[in-house]
Amino acid sequence: MPFAHGAAGPRAPAGMGDVPEPSPQASLAVLSKVELRVSCKHLLDRDTLNKSDPCVLLLMQSQGQWMEVDRSEVIKSNLNPVFAKIFTVDYYFEEVQKLRFEVYDSHGQAGVGTHDDDFLGGMECTVGQIVAQKRVTKPLFLKYGKFAGKSTITGPQWHLLAILNIPAVLERHVGPSPLGGGQGDKAVPGTERPTAASQIISEEISGNNGYVELAFRAKKLDDKDLFSKSDPFLEIYRIDDDRSEQLVYRTEVVKNNLSPIWEPFKVSLNSLCSCEEKRKLRCVVWDYDSRGKHDFIGEFFTTFEEMQKAMGENKVQWDCMNPKYKIKKRNYKNSGVVVLLDLKVAIDFTASNGDPRNSCSLHYINPYQPNEYLKALVAVGEICQDYDSDKKFSALGFGARIPPKYEVSHDFAINFNPDNDECEGIQGVVESYQSCLPKIQLYGPTNVAPIISKVARVAADEERTKEASQYFILLILTDGVVTDMADTREAIVRASYLPMSIIIVGVGNADFTDMQILDGDDGVLRSPKGEPVLRDIVQFVPFREFKNASPTALAKCVLAEVPKQVVEYYSYKAFPPRCPRPPTPDPNLGSPQ
């Protein structure tokens, strides 16, 4: 039973990654996605009794009109907000994409206002400026070119920093208004105050845009309120190489509860840890205060690597520590315990498997649970091996650069023995797969016709024996949509006349709509020239549909049609079943008495 696996990706990386051949359409539109994080400092105070409740609106210019793309959450009573909302925008290198950031004072259920007295300031820039430059400084202005805050303090300076992976550095800047074209006033010496600023951090999303779902709870947190219990919420910060911290996520507030259970949430692995499982994370628990003066309960440090231990039935917990209490209190143990109830990793619409050493990769070898390739391989292989007399399996790979010359191959033996690509049992296939990954460079495109044709040649040799002795099942594991569809259809039509069946398992969350064409359930598959298959030999299944089911459920689905396909082939060929050979008598045994 041959096995094959591989995938394709959008571009050639320096190291590992999967890359299809560039198409004319791809060359016309180079697309990346960029994540934008926004924070503000020293905003105008529009409220009489409390501070402003700021919210940021992101608009993009389309055909001369400003269209709202997204908006942040509202942060209550805070003139220096750090927004948890991450804006994601498509970035086209060859286009000028104008953005406008507008900060408003929100009014409860009425939401974000549109009146001038709700407007706290705004600025314009392009996506290119944010991505390309380390630092872009522009003033925030009110409408009609007026400086924000000019009516109350002489010469206040508002700044927006667009930074690419570096810490915030606030600078003074005086220049023309990006909204109204007016000129800025010079600051009067001796009247300066801390610079009011809005900051944007940009980060390009790589091809390995994996997502992780986390579910936290806490136990026995410190009570910070006098007449009631604390209202806790959790913040997670990523610590970057320069030791700056980026807010990754802020949970909801759980009212009046010292043992809260926060709602599960999903974040990208790029945002959480830059796809580096050992990157340090700082998690902080606060007691919410409606005036914005939240009380610090405690903190702990962890990594994504440590979080992964929470997969399945396992739980991971940390002591929530208050450093001041630790110094002052002799018998201080903690300010509560935070528990990670569950962690689920799912790769979301990636076109690339990614570096197998990277936890974002579909090929990542997790020490605590097998990846999706291994789950599918073992589920199907363990059923099929009972019908294989010698328990040896051909294991092939495609879409990778292989040693020693690192040329792209679409039908290489994963044990690197071209003369004998067979592995001893399913466990042998698993070991060859794990041994193979560090030695190759994942590349592309996802061409499966060469694999099908290679197995078909072996099946054709078997057909010439005119005996019903061997039937071949080709299991193809791939994360990408087939790029050589025409050649694949032709190869399947040819293979339908031979003693073989094909099972394709789609790994990951890519759009596999086109793959359904190869499965003849919705109609007869035809070659590009219109020739129909002799019989339906292909079964396609997206692995995600069986992610939470037992391994037997996947095997049952993909193998259910195989017995019928075997009977159809040998009935068409009129090959009778081969009679079992009688046992050879042992000459050392005497005749029975």
Side-chain angles (χ1 to χ4, degrees):
M1 174 183 174
F3 294 89
H5 63 82
R11 54 187 175 181
M16 294 187 177
D18 305 312
V19 185
E21 295 297 329
S23 62
Q25 291 81 3
S27 63
L28 293 176
V30 180
L31 169 65
S32 297
K33 287 186 179 294
V34 177
E35 291 183 343
L36 305 177
R37 296 174 176 82
V38 181
S39 62
C40 303
K41 285 193 175 182
H42 309 298
L43 292 176
L44 287 174
D45 193 354
R46 293 292 196 186
D47 294 345
T48 304
L49 300 178
N50 295 315
K51 297 176 182 177
S52 297
D53 304 328
C55 173
V56 175
L57 271 63
L58 172 61
L59 301 95
M60 179 176 285
Q61 194 174 75
S62 176
Q63 297 179 348
Q65 300 293 321
W66 287 104
M67 308 295 293
E68 181 178 337
V69 176
D70 208 344
R71 61 179 63 187
S72 73
E73 75 278 15
V74 176
I75 297 184
K76 292 286 186 179
S77 190
N78 197 323
L79 303 182
N80 301 287
V82 178
F83 296 96
K85 171 70 178 179
I86 298 176
F87 297 104
T88 303
V89 297
D90 293 336
Y91 170 47
Y92 295 89
F93 173 78
E94 70 284 0
E95 295 182 12
V96 176
Q97 299 169 273
K98 292 184 178 180
L99 299 179
R100 174 185 287 176
F101 294 87
E102 296 183 350
V103 185
Y104 286 89
D105 180 16
S106 177
H107 297 284
Q109 295 181 350
V112 176
T114 57
H115 301 292
D116 288 349
D117 57 351
D118 299 319
F119 186 58
L120 301 180
M123 60 81 62
E124 295 177 13
C125 63
T126 67
V127 180
Q129 288 173 334
I130 296 175
V131 172
Q133 300 184 39
K134 290 184 177 181
R135 184 178 296 112
V136 176
T137 303
K138 289 179 179 288
L140 278 177
F141 280 84
L142 296 175
K143 294 181 180 179
Y144 312 112
K146 296 181 179 179
F147 276 99
K150 182 178 179 182
S151 60
T152 56
I153 296 179
T154 303
Q157 306 300 313
W158 293 76
H159 306 275
L160 184 141
L161 297 180
I163 304 172
L164 181 60
N165 293 333
I166 64 171
V169 178
L170 300 180
E171 296 182 358
R172 295 187 176 277
H173 176 83
V174 179
S177 165
L179 294 179
Q183 297 295 322
D185 297 332
K186 294 184 179 180
V188 178
T191 63
E192 296 91 339
R193 66 171 187 175
T195 304
S198 177
Q199 172 187 311
I200 298 176
I201 305 292
S202 72
E203 184 172 17
E204 184 176 357
I205 301 177
S206 71
N208 302 318
N209 54 329
Y211 283 80
V212 59
E213 184 176 303
L214 302 169
F216 285 95
R217 70 162 300 172
K219 296 180 182 178
K220 300 180 179 179
L221 295 175
D222 286 351
D223 193 351
K224 295 292 185 179
D225 295 342
L226 183 59
F227 299 108
S228 62
K229 297 177 182 178
S230 296
D231 306 321
F233 66 95
L234 173 68
E235 290 182 330
I236 300 177
Y237 291 86
R238 183 187 75 213
I239 301 178
D240 289 336
D241 294 338
D242 58 7
R243 298 185 180 179
S244 64
E245 295 184 355
Q246 299 299 331
L247 177 63
V248 174
Y249 189 81
R250 180 186 294 122
T251 69
E252 77 283 4
V253 176
V254 179
K255 291 285 188 179
N256 199 34
N257 197 324
L258 300 182
S259 296
I261 300 177
W262 291 291
E263 290 292 327
F265 58 92
K266 187 170 74 169
V267 296
S268 73
L269 285 172
N270 279 289
S271 295
L272 180 65
C273 59
S274 302
C275 284
E276 297 174 15
E277 61 178 10
K278 296 183 184 295
R279 180 174 292 279
K280 187 172 287 188
L281 306 172
R282 177 173 173 256
C283 305
V284 188
V285 181
W286 301 89
D287 174 27
Y288 176 79
D289 184 87
S290 59
R291 298 167 299 174
K293 298 179 180 179
H294 310 307
D295 293 320
F296 176 76
I297 295 179
E299 65 182 7
F300 63 92
F301 294 86
T302 184
T303 63
F304 178 60
E305 181 181 44
E306 189 175 17
M307 287 181 174
Q308 290 180 84
K309 298 176 183 177
M311 286 184 173
E313 299 298 324
N314 300 319
K315 302 290 182 291
V316 183
Q317 70 178 38
W318 301 267
D319 287 331
C320 189
M321 305 298 293
N322 187 321
K324 291 184 179 179
Y325 289 175
K326 189 175 181 180
I327 296 173
K328 293 180 180 179
K329 297 182 179 181
R330 179 179 299 177
N331 297 322
Y332 177 74
K333 184 179 179 182
N334 58 46
S335 294
V337 175
V338 177
V339 183
L340 178 57
L341 298 174
D342 191 23
L343 178 146
K344 298 176 182 177
V345 177
I347 309 302
D348 185 23
F349 297 102
T350 181
S352 169
N353 276 297
D355 188 338
R357 299 166 297 184
N358 192 308
S359 56
C360 292
S361 171
L362 281 168
H363 283 299
Y364 175 62
I365 303 300
N366 189 319
Y368 301 103
Q369 72 170 19
N371 62 33
E372 293 186 10
Y373 279 97
L374 289 177
K375 287 180 181 177
L377 171 64
V378 172
V380 178
E382 285 187 341
I383 299 295
C384 294
Q385 71 178 354
D386 289 341
Y387 301 93
D388 192 296
S389 57
D390 63 2
K391 302 294 187 291
K392 293 182 179 180
F393 303 94
S394 296
L396 307 170
F398 61 92
R401 287 172 165 170
I402 63 173
K405 296 182 179 179
Y406 285 94
E407 296 175 344
V408 179
S409 175
H410 295 289
D411 59 349
F412 63 91
I414 65 173
N415 64 1
F416 296 111
N417 185 352
D419 298 325
N420 183 9
D421 55 24
E422 292 186 329
C423 301
E424 294 286 343
I426 294 302
Q427 186 57 35
V429 178
V430 171
E431 291 172 358
S432 294
Y433 166 73
Q434 293 174 329
S435 175
C436 166
L437 284 175
K439 302 173 184 175
I440 64 174
Q441 291 180 351
L442 305 186
Y443 205 71
T446 307
N447 292 346
V448 300
I451 286 281
I452 296 174
S453 298
K454 182 169 186 173
V455 176
R457 287 193 292 271
V458 179
D461 292 338
E462 171 61 25
E463 181 188 35
R464 284 190 276 271
T465 65
K466 300 190 181 301
E467 290 185 356
S469 59
Q470 292 190 72
Y471 191 89
F472 297 84
I473 299 176
L474 171 60
L475 171 62
I476 299 177
L477 308 174
T478 179
D479 84 322
V481 178
V482 171
T483 52
D484 61 339
M485 186 62 76
D487 291 342
T488 298
R489 286 162 52 199
E490 181 71 33
I492 292 173
V493 170
R494 301 277 78 80
S496 68
Y497 289 83
L498 301 171
M500 64 181 290
S501 295
I502 303 171
I503 297 169
I504 304 176
V505 178
V507 177
N509 288 335
D511 184 359
F512 291 113
T513 303
D514 292 343
M515 301 288 275
Q516 303 290 349
I517 299 173
L518 304 178
D519 193 322
D521 292 343
D522 298 329
V524 178
L525 177 68
R526 297 179 180 272
S527 72
K529 297 179 181 178
E531 180 183 355
V533 292
L534 174 67
R535 55 197 179 89
D536 180 14
I537 64 170
V538 177
Q539 180 74 6
F540 171 75
V541 174
F543 182 84
R544 60 175 173 257
E545 295 181 2
F546 296 87
K547 201 172 211 178
N548 299 319
S550 66
T552 56
L554 173 65
K556 183 177 180 180
C557 177
V558 299
L559 295 172
E561 297 181 11
V562 170
K564 181 178 114 176
Q565 293 168 356
V566 173
V567 172
E568 284 178 347
Y569 170 76
Y570 288 117
S571 297
Y572 168 74
K573 288 293 185 179
F575 291 165
R578 190 169 65 175
C579 296
R581 296 175 182 174
T584 304
D586 191 335
N588 297 323
L589 295 178
S591 300
Q593 299 297 319

